[in-house]
Amino acid sequence: MTEPAVPRKSSPWLLWLPVIVFAGFIAVVAYNLRNPAEREVRSALIGKPLPEFALPAALPGQPGLARKDMADGKVRVLNIFASWCVPCAVEAPQLAELRAKGVDVVGVAIRDRPEDLAAFLARHGNPFSRIGADNLSSIQFALGSSGVPESFVIDGKGVIRYQHIGEIRPEQVALIMEKVREAGE
């Protein structure tokens, strides 16, 4: 005759294991909510020369943009934008203000059609002295840009001195002007 099976006694900690795992999950989520990771991708090129590039004109009758245009002794703001970008329309008045204050603003139009770009500039104004068409986003990525809009202050030697991620808001114009002055020193 076989002996009846004796029920095994489970350890009391096994009963609490799901509660401990759940509490650990909640602790990780709470920590990440209070200490979010950096979401902006900063360019590794700050303090370095612009990469070589030569973009065709984004619009007929307006010059394109090349690296050699950026190393002529003049400080510039290089703005990466697109007609389909809502924040780009939001920053248009600030770019116009920078131009009115004597800053040369040049643009790189990302994946844009000339007719859409022309309509955008007719609606929001054209602060750009030059606009290059970056239809493959190759210059955007080469600059380490994380999206549109994004602006870079370029010194007179073609070196990136400052990166502004996102649209330039009215309260940030003074900061951009300060960075332009610093780049000119």
Side-chain angles (χ1 to χ4, degrees):
M1 180 160 129
T2 61
E3 290 186 28
V6 179
R8 281 178 28 133
K9 217 174 182 186
S10 62
S11 298
W13 69 271
L14 285 176
L15 296 173
W16 289 99
L17 185 62
V19 173
I20 293 168
V21 169
F22 183 70
F25 173 75
I26 294 298
V28 168
V29 169
Y31 175 80
N32 286 325
L33 286 174
R34 290 187 55 80
N35 305 304
E38 179 71 35
R39 298 284 184 231
E40 294 178 342
V41 179
R42 294 277 170 202
S43 175
L45 295 179
I46 296 175
K48 297 180 181 169
L50 284 167
E52 280 298 327
F53 69 92
L55 296 174
L59 290 173
Q62 189 161 7
L65 186 63
R67 190 214 181 283
K68 67 178 176 62
D69 301 323
M70 307 292 284
D72 64 356
K74 190 173 184 182
V75 177
R76 290 181 174 80
V77 170
L78 171 66
N79 181 255
I80 298 174
F81 76 106
S83 67
W84 43 263
C85 163
V86 173
C88 296
V90 170
E91 82 170 352
Q94 287 71 251
L95 292 175
E97 183 179 347
L98 288 169
R99 180 158 185 167
K101 291 182 176 195
V103 177
D104 186 19
V105 181
V106 296
V108 174
I110 303 298
R111 298 182 310 275
D112 231 324
R113 297 183 318 180
E115 58 272 16
D116 294 338
L117 187 56
F120 176 86
L121 295 173
R123 200 169 35 253
H124 302 290
N126 184 355
F128 305 106
S129 61
R130 298 173 163 274
I131 304 175
D134 191 4
N135 295 325
L136 300 175
S137 297
S138 56
I139 301 310
Q140 178 187 22
F141 294 137
L143 288 171
S145 170
S146 60
V148 292
E150 197 160 328
S151 298
F152 296 86
V153 173
I154 312 298
D155 73 12
K157 295 177 183 172
V159 175
I160 300 170
R161 294 297 174 193
Y162 175 72
Q163 176 187 24
H164 182 87
I165 298 173
E167 75 272 9
I168 298 171
R169 297 189 179 152
E171 64 272 12
Q172 296 167 327
V173 171
L175 170 67
I176 302 297
M177 287 300 299
E178 177 185 327
K179 297 299 182 181
V180 165
R181 277 190 290 280
E182 287 173 5
E185 295 174 352

